[in-house]
Amino acid sequence: MRVITNPRQADHAPTVEVDGGEVIPAYEVPLRYAAIRTALATAGGFTFEEPPATTEPPLTAVHQADYVAYLQQASAEAGGAGNGPMPHRWPSVFPFGPHPRALGPRALRGRFCYDTYTPILPGTYSAAFAGATAASYAAHLLACSQERNVYVLTRPPGHHAEADRCGGYCYFNNAAVAAAILARFGPVAILDVDVHHGNGTQHIFYEQPNVLTVSIHGDPRGLYPFFSGYADETGTGRGLGTNLNLPLPLGSGVPEYRDALAQALVAIERFRPEFFIVALGTDAHESDPIGGMHLPTTYFREMGANLRHLQRPTLIVQEGGYNLEVVGPCVVEFLRGIEG
Ligand SMILES: [Zn+2]
């Protein structure tokens, strides 16, 4: 299988994050990428390639132009003189009131970011941009009918990134960027199996009838991102009926995932997509430090095998997975399963 890599991922290397007011070691780190790449290389059967420099990700097809410009400018400013070797920029205040105004730099931090897990560092923009570039190149490969399956190995992840805000370790929504390209050629279905709800992807396509978004995740009453991911969120306007959330109780294992995946497949087959995108998080693994689910490594192969039966050109893009020992083997198992 062809693996499209992000050659700039290590530019974004946070050392800490803020959880409930407590400063803790960052979970979303470059070692995740290295762990996956090593596991794929050891397993064999995967070829790695960087996206061509000429690839232009259609960022403003899914993100607001002022957000894209802010991320670029804030990254550059974080790298300015006198800021220390690796400054992290977080918001402390978020928009409130009926007509919030964001005119200064401290207000803009809260305007364009919705949590304290997602700092902006000097290399954030270049790493996120290169990830979106990799996803775009993979989408073009599928659209040109060159491949049946392509895997995008990247970080930071993307599925929590909203049209106008970063959050949940995510800056640009790689799956949405790929979907925006593929939707020019036909209907697209996105299945998000990361343990956290893919809020950004849901909201970006919430009114669009030609992109089906399906997410299997931990019940947001107990798990990030808390404010969305409920079963009654089904799309709006022309997109009504094109969003399906399958929240599962924390502590769910293989039986619950089998049932949810079967429901997801029914909805996807009914939608008759031309292209299929998997937002592949492995943080539902039983040993993930922030997931809370009970999936064994072997189940990821079964999941991939079940999705193979859709028989659609498929783009798999890396999202979460934070146990450095198991994220690589889980990705290998999933890709083996989907390749058959
Ligand atoms: Zn996740």
Side-chain angles (χ1 to χ4, degrees):
M1 188 185 299
R2 280 167 92 167
V3 176
I4 312 304
T5 62
N6 176 349
R8 305 299 300 270
Q9 61 88 20
D11 290 1
H12 176 70
T15 56
V16 289
E17 60 184 66
V18 179
D19 179 43
E22 188 184 352
V23 179
I24 61 172
Y27 283 107
E28 205 296 291
V29 293
L31 281 174
R32 299 180 55 244
Y33 181 97
I36 298 169
R37 180 159 181 149
T38 299
L40 293 173
T42 303
F46 300 96
T47 58
F48 301 91
E49 57 187 299
E50 297 180 1
T54 50
T55 309
E56 280 283 337
L59 286 177
T60 52
V62 302
H63 291 290
Q64 287 186 13
D66 58 352
Y67 167 65
V68 176
Y70 170 76
L71 200 58
Q72 185 167 23
Q73 186 187 346
S75 294
E77 287 176 1
N83 285 339
M86 192 55 75
H88 294 53
R89 298 292 182 86
W90 281 279
S92 292
V93 183
F94 299 92
F96 58 86
H99 304 292
R101 306 174 75 193
L103 300 177
R106 294 294 299 271
L108 290 170
R109 288 189 201 178
R111 161 68 185 87
F112 290 116
C113 182
Y114 63 81
D115 67 21
T116 62
Y117 298 110
T118 319
I120 293 177
L121 283 71
T124 299
Y125 181 83
S126 68
F129 184 87
T133 304
S136 298
Y137 180 58
H140 287 298
L141 290 179
L142 279 194
C144 300
S145 305
Q146 288 186 17
E147 301 293 331
R148 289 298 288 179
N149 301 301
V150 183
Y151 169 61
V152 181
L153 172 55
T154 190
R155 61 160 293 280
H159 69 150
H160 295 303
E162 299 272 343
D164 63 346
R165 280 174 171 82
C166 57
Y169 311 146
C170 302
Y171 302 88
F172 291 139
N173 195 312
N174 303 310
V177 168
I181 293 170
L182 292 170
R184 299 175 199 153
F185 303 94
V188 178
I190 304 174
L191 173 64
D192 189 324
V193 298
D194 187 284
V195 76
H196 304 101
H197 173 234
N199 56 289
T201 320
Q202 166 175 311
H203 294 143
I204 286 166
F205 296 112
Y206 211 54
E207 294 183 38
Q208 294 194 25
N210 61 335
V211 178
L212 173 70
T213 46
V214 182
S215 182
I216 302 172
H217 50 261
D219 189 327
R221 283 177 295 185
L223 194 65
Y224 188 93
F226 307 115
F227 290 93
S228 70
Y230 295 93
D232 60 357
E233 298 160 11
T234 57
T236 189
R238 293 176 63 230
L240 190 62
T242 63
N243 186 76
L244 174 62
N245 284 330
L246 298 163
L248 299 175
L250 289 179
S252 292
V254 171
E256 292 87 354
Y257 267 83
R258 279 190 180 136
D259 190 45
L261 193 64
Q263 292 181 60
L265 283 169
V266 167
I268 293 165
E269 284 183 332
R270 192 182 297 142
F271 188 71
R272 302 175 71 85
E274 197 79 27
F275 299 98
F276 182 43
I277 295 174
V278 182
L280 176 62
T282 66
D283 42 9
H285 188 275
E286 57 196 356
S287 67
D288 193 272
I290 61 173
M293 295 300 193
H294 288 157
L295 293 182
T297 305
T298 49
Y299 179 70
F300 286 88
R301 181 179 291 233
E302 178 183 325
M303 187 189 279
N306 284 329
L307 300 179
R308 182 171 79 242
H309 298 304
L310 286 172
Q311 297 187 307
R312 296 294 193 286
T314 301
L315 187 154
I316 303 107
V317 60
Q318 187 63 43
E319 301 288 356
Y322 302 98
N323 180 325
L324 296 175
E325 304 291 323
V326 301
V327 61
C330 287
V331 171
V332 169
E333 289 296 312
F334 182 89
L335 296 179
R336 288 274 193 258
I338 208 162
E339 190 87 318

